[in-house]
């Protein structure tokens, strides 16, 4: 009997071979991560009037017949504009056994571009949630909020994680794991609904870089190109001046960093989830899978900061150094991955501090 836990890469490979995950094209290098699978866009995008959930017994394709405004060929690449909602059938589909469920999330690089991306299933009543035993296609809802993006068939904006049973580690057990393995360090180190993360607005002192704010009316970002764009064409750097605080302007998008260094040991996976919205008028973006080995010393890291994609809501909000902004929930792995995050598998964010997405060159 399979133990409860997140399925590692070698089990995901087995799912492809068994037809539990189906695709006309074989997985490409780097698509299968230690505890997740990147999902590839198909060849057609549908511009729709509004976001939707199909609801029980309704296929996404039926909703597209009613809501689609026009279709876009992605085989040669196409620009997805800000303020628009697109639905894209994914190359991967699923035939899950009754004991396996799944959860999707934007990839870290997607979140750092402020691209709102969610996965939808036929009959779905919740985004990014695939029930155990699901058999059918997968679709990505994509809405660029800040930058127009260039995508094509095969682009990978979302990732999916498969789980058996209930692998979530409760707080009382998480306390012991943290005591043994030091899950976070260098910050507040508080546990409640997971490991709480706080914001770093002190940097290395007065005048130091503490974040970025996105510019408006920029050029297009090609999501498949690495180190291709100059950061100052898209971002205004934020430097500490005096008090370690930042006023978040409504509907502006910020890249900030956690005060804590995060560690995900080899037998665990983690996910960033929003903190209680009652503590402030802002949100941390929902991108947030942390693979086994993130920040792990034997995989090239000695703790890695969590980069935070932050957007204020309807009113200006003063964010102060050390304020809690998110939390990490940890889950057991069903088995230890054969290869950890950072071990030669195209891991872009091992050992990171404050860092923009992989699409941007380093700020000199």
């Amino acid at each position: 009997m399979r133990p409860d836990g997140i399925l590692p890469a070698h089990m995901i490979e087995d799912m492809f071979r068994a037809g539990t995950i189906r695709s006309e094209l074989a997985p490409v290098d780097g698509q299968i991560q230690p505890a997740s699978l990147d999902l590839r866009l198909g060849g057609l995008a549908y511009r729709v009037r509004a976001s939707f959930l199909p609801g029980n017994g309704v296929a996404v394709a039926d909703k597209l017949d009613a809501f689609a405004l026009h279709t876009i060929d992605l085989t040669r690449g196409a620009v997805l504009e800000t303020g628009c909602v697109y639905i894209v059938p994914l190359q991967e589909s699923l035939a899950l056994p009754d004991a396996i469920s799944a959860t999707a999330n934007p990839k870290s690089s997607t979140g750092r571009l402020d691209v709102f991306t969610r996965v939808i299933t036929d009959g779905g009543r919740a985004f990014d949630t695939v029930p155990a035993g699901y058999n059918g296609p997968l679709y990505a809802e994509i809405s660029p909020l800040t930058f127009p993006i260039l995508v094509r068939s095969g682009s990978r904006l979302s990732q999916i994680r498969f789980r058996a049973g209930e692998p979530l580690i409760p707080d009382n057990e998480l306390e012991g794991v943290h005591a043994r393995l030091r899950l976070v360090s260098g910050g507040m180190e508080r546990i409640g609904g997971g490991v709480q993360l706080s914001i770093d607005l002190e940097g290395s002192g007065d005048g130091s870089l503490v974040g970025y704010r996105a510019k408006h009316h920029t050029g297009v970002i090609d999501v498949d190109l690495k180190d291709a764009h100059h950061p100052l064409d898209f971002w205004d750097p934020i430097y500490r001046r005096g008090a370690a605080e930042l006023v978040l302007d409504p509907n502006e998008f910020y890249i900030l960093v956690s005060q804590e260094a995060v560690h995900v040991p080899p037998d665990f996976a983690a996910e960033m989830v929003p903190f209680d919205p009652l503590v402030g008028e802002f949100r941390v973006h929902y991108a947030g899978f942390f693979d086994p080995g993130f920040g792990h010393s034997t995989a090239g890291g000695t703790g890695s900061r969590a980069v935070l994609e932050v957007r204020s809501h309807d009113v200006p909000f003063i964010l102060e150094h050390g304020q809690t902004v998110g939390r990490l929930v940890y889950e057991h792995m069903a088995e230890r991955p054969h290869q950890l995050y950072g071990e030669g598998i195209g891991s872009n964010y091992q050992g990171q501090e404050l860092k923009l997405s992989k699409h941007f060159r380093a700020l000199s």
Side-chain angles (χ1 to χ4, degrees):
M1 183 176 180
R2 189 195 307 273
D4 286 2
I6 300 298
L7 305 194
H10 58 276
M11 289 185 173
I12 295 174
E13 293 169 354
D14 290 341
M15 293 172 72
F16 270 102
R17 286 189 285 267
T20 304
I21 304 173
R22 298 173 297 204
S23 176
E24 293 183 2
L25 300 175
V28 298
D29 289 345
Q31 186 180 354
I32 300 176
Q33 293 293 311
S36 60
L37 169 71
D38 292 350
L39 297 171
R40 296 172 289 187
L41 300 184
L44 199 64
Y46 297 84
R47 167 80 163 87
V48 294
R49 287 186 289 158
S51 174
F52 64 84
L53 280 169
N56 190 36
V58 179
V60 174
D62 294 336
K63 290 288 189 179
L64 290 175
D65 287 341
F67 296 150
L69 300 176
H70 63 271
T71 58
I72 302 167
D73 183 3
L74 299 184
T75 57
R76 296 186 179 181
V79 173
L80 305 186
E81 302 285 354
T82 58
C84 299
V85 182
Y86 304 88
I87 303 295
V88 181
L90 296 170
Q91 293 185 21
E92 289 75 27
S93 61
L94 300 177
L96 296 180
D98 291 339
I100 303 296
S101 61
T103 303
N105 230 324
K107 287 169 55 67
S108 293
S109 297
T110 307
R112 296 184 202 197
L113 295 179
D114 201 24
V115 178
F116 194 63
T117 305
R118 303 186 286 194
V119 169
I120 312 173
T121 62
D122 284 346
R125 291 181 288 182
F127 294 105
D128 287 333
T129 302
V130 185
Y134 175 75
N135 189 336
L138 299 173
Y139 299 82
E141 175 192 297
I142 305 168
S143 183
L145 300 181
T146 297
F147 310 119
I149 58 172
L150 176 62
V151 302
R152 55 190 58 79
S153 178
S155 295
R156 291 145 41 192
L157 300 181
S158 301
Q159 55 190 172
I160 193 166
R161 182 172 281 180
F162 301 94
R163 57 173 50 81
E166 296 294 338
L168 184 66
I169 303 174
D171 284 349
N172 57 349
E173 182 182 344
L174 199 60
E175 293 273 7
V177 175
H178 176 57
R180 288 188 294 110
L181 300 174
R182 193 78 170 193
L183 300 178
V184 296
S185 59
M188 304 300 290
E189 301 185 31
R190 293 172 294 184
I191 291 179
V195 179
Q196 297 183 16
L197 295 180
S198 61
I199 198 74
D200 180 6
L201 293 176
E202 283 189 342
S204 58
D206 202 43
S208 62
L209 181 69
V210 294
Y212 296 90
R213 181 167 65 179
K215 291 184 175 182
H216 299 281
H217 314 299
T218 67
V220 174
I221 295 176
D222 188 326
V223 300
D224 296 325
L225 293 183
K226 186 177 178 180
D227 300 326
H229 304 285
H230 195 290
L232 295 183
D233 291 336
F234 296 85
W235 302 93
D236 288 320
I238 301 171
Y239 298 96
R240 179 184 169 188
R241 291 193 302 158
E245 62 186 26
L246 175 65
V247 177
L248 300 177
D249 291 322
N251 300 314
E252 298 289 337
F253 181 65
Y254 300 84
I255 296 291
L256 304 173
V257 71
S258 69
Q259 185 179 195
E260 295 80 12
V262 173
H263 173 215
V264 184
D267 293 313
F268 301 88
E271 181 178 355
M272 174 89 73
V273 294
F275 194 60
D276 187 347
L278 297 179
V279 304
E281 295 297 323
F282 64 91
R283 70 162 173 84
V284 175
H285 201 280
Y286 294 100
F289 284 163
F290 292 76
D291 278 307
F294 182 85
H296 190 60
S297 58
T298 62
T302 54
S304 299
R305 303 285 193 98
V307 168
L308 308 169
E309 303 91 12
V310 178
R311 178 181 288 276
S312 185
H313 290 318
D314 297 327
V315 298
F317 185 80
I318 298 177
L319 197 58
E320 299 180 286
H321 175 76
Q323 188 164 344
T324 301
V325 292
R327 54 196 173 93
L328 280 178
V329 295
Y330 281 75
E331 297 180 286
H332 292 285
M333 294 294 297
E335 292 180 8
R336 179 179 289 207
H338 295 165
Q339 196 170 27
L340 299 178
Y341 186 88
E343 292 183 333
I345 53 173
S347 306
N348 293 294
Y349 305 118
Q350 185 70 296
Q352 71 181 355
E353 297 287 331
L354 175 66
K355 184 179 175 67
L356 295 172
S357 72
K358 64 184 181 183
H359 310 94
F360 300 98
R361 299 190 288 273
L363 182 64
S364 57

